[in-house]
Amino acid sequence: AQKITQTQPGMFVQEKEAVTLDCTYDTSDPSYGLFWYKQPSSGEMIFLIYQGSYDQQNATEGRYSLNFQKARKSANLVISASQLGDSAMYFCAMREGGNYGGATNKLIFGTGTLLAVQP
Amino acid sequence: GAVVSQHPSWVICKSGTSVKIECRSLDFQATTMFWYRQFPKQSLMLMATSNEGSKATYEQGVEKDKFLINHASLTLSTLTVTSAHPEDSSFYICSAYQTGFYRQPQHFGDGTRLSIL
């Protein structure tokens, strides 16, 4: 069975510093996709970044980058130059068959990490 | 970009009432939509997968008769919480997957906060 683990329930970071949010996963499917979403207090889910299991390079999107270590089954999110607006809940999620459109396409979410950016 | 609209965003109603929540993909077709439930300070829990033109697939432990799902068109799925009770109070959020774009994320609606008194 697939599983997503986020071991950091909450984190503090100083404004303008970088922060790493941890995510490990477990799956027997060689084809999968990994996602990070941000959920501010208002509740909407904001897509941040995607990594496919067969991607050769780590994904980057602006200040977000994904440290993908396939052998360790980890997909940590790195936020550079933190801003006050980055304070939110962050969820790591996995979709099996993610590279080729998979059978179900459903996402399985981790328990989330609450990030607080301090001025 | 792909947009998903969810309505209503906020509902308060009396116990025993049925509540319908709509999820629309505004600028793309979605043969598959998903319904999640989220309790305060917890993660999203997948309730069911909504398939256009066929029956929804429910996750284990989710009552089919309690949470009715209808996906009558390629852009609309509805979740009806039947005879809602206070324990059904939660944040419900839908998402849609743009068919054929496998590297794209699921696009989420803004969610519905349901409070049953």
Side-chain angles (χ1 to χ4, degrees):
Chain A
Q2 57 175 309
K3 183 179 178 181
I4 294 285
T5 302
Q6 294 179 255
T7 58
Q8 306 154 312
M11 290 189 70
F12 287 99
V13 64
Q14 289 295 124
E15 194 177 8
K16 301 182 182 178
E17 291 186 350
V19 63
T20 298
L21 306 183
D22 295 340
C23 174
T24 58
Y25 60 92
D26 187 26
T27 180
S28 57
D29 192 331
S31 178
Y32 53 89
L34 297 160
F35 302 80
W36 277 92
Y37 284 88
K38 171 185 177 182
Q39 186 180 41
S41 58
S42 50
E44 71 269 28
M45 295 290 285
I46 302 169
F47 165 70
L48 297 178
I49 197 166
Y50 167 84
Q51 181 85 44
S53 60
Y54 294 120
D55 290 348
Q56 295 299 309
Q57 294 185 330
N58 287 347
T60 60
E61 290 287 347
R63 294 188 298 111
Y64 304 107
S65 61
L66 203 152
N67 184 2
F68 181 45
Q69 299 189 39
K70 194 171 182 178
R72 295 184 178 183
K73 293 188 174 180
S74 73
N76 299 339
L77 176 70
V78 180
I79 305 175
S80 63
S82 297
Q83 301 172 356
L84 296 178
D86 294 334
S87 296
M89 195 73 165
Y90 289 80
F91 290 100
C92 178
M94 179 170 66
R95 180 177 69 199
E96 287 184 334
N99 283 329
Y100 300 105
T104 64
N105 301 316
K106 64 182 181 182
L107 287 178
I108 301 299
F109 284 87
T111 51
T113 297
L114 182 61
L115 178 66
V117 180
Q118 297 178 313
Chain B
V3 177
V4 173
S5 173
Q6 187 171 341
H7 178 80
S9 57
W10 186 58
V11 179
I12 300 177
C13 58
K14 294 181 179 180
S15 183
T17 307
S18 292
V19 178
K20 179 185 284 187
I21 303 170
E22 292 186 347
C23 182
R24 294 181 184 271
S25 56
L26 295 185
D27 53 358
F28 66 97
Q29 294 185 336
T31 56
T32 303
M33 294 185 176
F34 303 89
W35 287 96
Y36 296 86
R37 182 175 183 175
Q38 186 180 30
F39 291 106
K41 300 183 180 180
Q42 294 190 22
S43 186
L44 279 72
M45 181 189 76
L46 180 65
M47 297 175 65
T49 302
S50 173
N51 304 297
E52 188 267 335
S54 64
K55 293 182 179 180
T57 303
Y58 289 83
E59 295 299 303
Q60 190 174 6
V62 177
E63 299 176 59
K64 300 178 182 181
D65 295 333
K66 177 72 171 176
F67 300 100
L68 299 179
I69 291 174
N70 183 280
H71 194 154
S73 77
L74 287 172
T75 59
L76 174 64
S77 175
T78 60
L79 168 68
T80 301
V81 184
T82 61
S83 187
H85 293 285
E87 58 266 27
D88 298 323
S89 298
S90 189
F91 184 65
Y92 294 87
I93 191 165
C94 70
S95 70
Y97 175 63
Q98 190 170 2
T99 306
F101 291 81
Y102 59 84
R103 289 186 66 88
Q104 292 296 313
Q106 286 183 17
H107 304 284
F108 284 83
D110 287 344
T112 298
R113 297 192 184 278
L114 176 62
S115 296
I116 309 298
L117 305 179

